Amino acid sequence: MAIQEFTLPDPGEGLVEAEIVTWHVAAGDTVDVNQVVLEIETAKSLVELPIPWAGTVASILVPEGETVEVGTPIVTIDVGGDTAPADGGAAGAADDVSGAADGGEVAAEMQTAADVAPAETGESDDEPQQKTLVGYGPTPSSSTRRARRGRGAGGGASGGGTLAAPATRGFAKQQGVDIDTVEPSRDDGVVTRDDVKKAGGSNAPAAMSTPSVASSAPSAPSADTVAKAAASAPSVRPDKPTAAAPAPAGLSDERIPIKGVRKVTAQAMVSSAFTAPHVTEFLTVDMTRTMEFVRELQGMRELKDIKVTPLLVVAKACLIAMQREPMMNALWDDANGEIVMRSEVNLGIAAATDRGLLVPNVKDAGRFGLGDLGREIAKLVEIARHGKPSPAILNGGTFTISNIGVFGVNSGTPIIKPGESGILAIGTVRPMPWVVENERGEQEMVIRQIAQLSLSFDHRIIDGDVGSRYLSTVGQILENPAKALLWG
């Protein structure tokens, strides 16, 4: 017997730790060279790790949900002899991971929405997907995913034969519910958070009426005693509100570990807020012509394959305005004492996902026409929300757009993404009274489609006049899209 110890390799993002998200094997499973055995989350990406040896899994050393440092042993493989690691061993696997992390063109990382469609995952549209960080559904090399075997203490993973995400297990523990007794509602046998809630609710009455509690409780007063006490009590209106009733027995605050996307986002926002001096300016814009322009684009045969929205026009307006004010795309290089004037605009689009806020960016977005820009934005947002965005997709942005209007919000003060100099938020487009000049040169009140733009920028690089001109240019294009032809 020859045991090889596989350590967590450097994922190639300059990070020192990663979270174990999903094990695809269990102790006793047979593995082949370069077989993907687990998924880890590093910063904001999910990365699949291959094993460099063929053999049998001896033990899982780190359970799902734990964060470990690079170089930590995570699994041992019985290679069945004194054979050395094949083709460089773990070092080769680390190279594979780095390549997957840095290569934006890797097909597996640039998967489209079809790669994660409900029909392929075996789930119908009516069945809610499990909102965890684990990768579910088939891999490119198989049509169905083998259910994980239950692992005991020797395997290092929590739980027995019950299939459940680490977050679900933690929630069950907080609620005092034995995860192994919960009946799964999903066809694949995975226990969800709702299943735990139902199990907790069904068990609560029994727990509240245990014999020990009943025997120790004092006997209830009779009806006559209660009536006499109520009659003799003075009727007094309290001057102050009474204290709120205590929470029902068995309920407690939920504690969510700060890790993964939430941890990285928090660190980035704190670093940006207390490093770059933010200035936020607001501009209210008449979007009526833009909304008419969007409707015209939606009817064009050349754009029938994409969903044309006002965000697309805003993105194009930002790129055109960047040509007139290139300082908005600059970078403050504190280490070298320089301001870097970037040659390309990597336009980030903030996307709310089940894993948290992700910002994929369109590389060199200025080279795309309106249609191709819309296709790139749609593809990247789809990957961010339903796929596995690579570090190449998420890193390297130079300017970000946040569409807060989809939530019915009018405006905000967005925080600049670290490494960038500005971020534009667009609020909801809504009908409002607006003063316009009619054909006779007279002012009159009409109903127009109005939205508010919020631009935050790094005041170390961008002076107020530059930021104001940039915001004004974006607003003028949105008020009259024809100016895009004049300035673009």
Side-chain angles (χ1 to χ4, degrees):
M1 175 185 293
I3 300 295
Q4 294 287 353
E5 195 174 68
F6 182 69
T7 60
L8 180 67
D10 184 354
E13 300 177 55
L15 302 174
V16 296
E17 64 180 17
E19 179 186 349
I20 306 299
V21 175
T22 309
W23 280 107
H24 296 304
V25 295
D29 284 356
T30 300
V31 294
D32 298 323
V33 175
N34 291 331
Q35 177 181 333
V36 174
V37 296
L38 79 155
E39 286 177 326
I40 62 172
E41 183 179 33
T42 60
K44 296 185 178 182
S45 344
L46 284 176
V47 179
E48 294 181 332
L49 293 187
I51 200 75
W53 314 291
T56 303
V57 178
S59 60
I60 304 293
L61 303 179
V62 180
E64 294 176 354
E66 285 196 10
T67 299
V68 294
E69 295 182 355
V70 170
T72 302
I74 56 178
V75 62
T76 57
I77 305 295
D78 180 5
V79 297
D82 297 329
T83 308
D87 298 328
D95 292 338
D96 292 341
V97 174
S98 298
D102 295 332
E105 71 278 6
V106 179
E109 295 170 344
M110 293 294 292
Q111 58 184 329
T112 61
D115 293 330
V116 289
E120 291 186 14
T121 59
E123 297 175 0
S124 67
D125 293 337
D126 297 331
E127 294 173 341
Q129 293 180 342
Q130 185 180 5
K131 298 180 184 292
T132 67
L133 296 182
V134 300
Y136 49 86
T139 62
S141 61
S142 63
S143 59
T144 58
R145 178 171 174 178
R146 176 181 61 84
R148 296 203 309 269
R149 286 198 245 168
R151 298 165 221 156
S158 59
T162 300
L163 296 176
T168 306
R169 293 182 181 276
F171 178 69
K173 186 176 180 181
Q174 293 171 0
Q175 300 301 314
V177 176
D178 184 357
I179 193 72
D180 293 328
T181 64
V182 177
E183 187 70 23
S185 59
R186 288 174 37 160
D187 293 339
D188 57 5
V190 175
V191 174
T192 66
R193 188 186 185 92
D194 290 337
D195 296 335
V196 174
K197 289 181 179 180
K198 292 179 182 179
S202 61
N203 292 336
M208 294 174 62
S209 60
T210 55
S212 59
V213 175
S215 61
S216 59
S219 58
S222 64
D224 291 341
T225 303
V226 173
K228 291 178 180 179
S232 60
S235 177
V236 179
R237 169 176 270 173
D239 294 332
K240 298 181 181 180
T242 58
L251 297 182
S252 62
D253 295 340
E254 180 181 359
R255 292 182 175 269
I256 303 174
I258 302 174
K259 58 184 180 180
V261 174
R262 178 55 53 201
K263 181 178 180 180
V264 173
T265 301
Q267 292 172 342
M269 293 299 97
V270 170
S271 174
S272 176
F274 293 98
T275 300
H278 283 54
V279 172
T280 303
E281 294 185 345
F282 304 89
L283 178 65
T284 305
V285 178
D286 180 359
M287 297 275 291
T288 304
R289 289 188 180 180
T290 287
M291 300 306 290
E292 294 172 351
F293 182 49
V294 168
R295 285 191 289 271
E296 290 180 10
L297 294 175
Q298 290 172 343
M300 291 184 178
R301 182 175 58 186
E302 296 85 353
L303 302 177
K304 65 180 181 179
D305 60 328
I306 63 174
K307 182 180 180 181
V308 179
T309 66
L311 176 64
L312 175 58
V313 183
V314 173
K316 192 61 178 179
C318 286
L319 293 171
I320 294 173
M322 202 80 71
Q323 297 173 8
R324 297 167 63 89
E325 301 294 341
M327 190 63 74
M328 288 298 303
N329 197 46
L331 168 67
W332 181 273
D333 188 349
D334 204 19
N336 296 315
E338 298 173 337
I339 293 177
V340 181
M341 300 296 295
R342 294 184 171 107
S343 60
E344 299 178 351
V345 181
N346 296 337
L347 186 63
I349 304 296
T353 75
D354 291 341
R355 298 173 52 221
L357 181 66
L358 300 180
V359 188
N361 62 84
V362 180
K363 299 295 189 289
D364 193 10
R367 63 191 166 98
F368 292 109
L370 191 64
D372 289 336
L373 178 62
R375 292 181 184 89
E376 287 296 313
I377 291 176
K379 179 177 68 175
L380 293 180
V381 171
E382 192 68 24
I383 293 174
R385 287 177 175 166
H386 304 294
K388 299 176 183 177
S390 69
I393 293 175
L394 299 173
N395 297 336
T398 63
F399 188 86
T400 294
I401 299 175
S402 179
N403 185 11
I404 59 178
V406 296
F407 305 108
V409 176
N410 296 332
S411 65
T413 54
I415 297 179
I416 304 166
K417 192 170 183 283
E420 301 182 6
S421 300
I423 178 173
L424 179 79
I426 175 172
T428 185
V429 181
R430 63 197 190 282
M432 290 185 63
W434 195 254
V435 177
V436 300
E437 188 175 285
N438 60 25
E439 296 177 352
R440 300 185 300 274
E442 301 171 343
Q443 290 186 339
E444 61 180 8
M445 187 83 71
V446 296
I447 300 299
R448 306 288 282 182
Q449 297 295 317
I450 307 300
Q452 191 168 59
L453 306 179
S454 309
L455 174 68
S456 293
F457 53 86
D458 187 343
H459 212 349
R460 295 174 301 178
I461 311 172
I462 303 165
D463 295 332
D465 62 331
V466 175
S468 298
R469 286 197 303 267
Y470 178 83
L471 183 59
S472 176
T473 300
V474 173
Q476 290 181 61
I477 295 175
L478 296 178
E479 288 183 344
N480 184 7
K483 289 187 177 181
L485 293 177
L486 179 64
W487 295 337

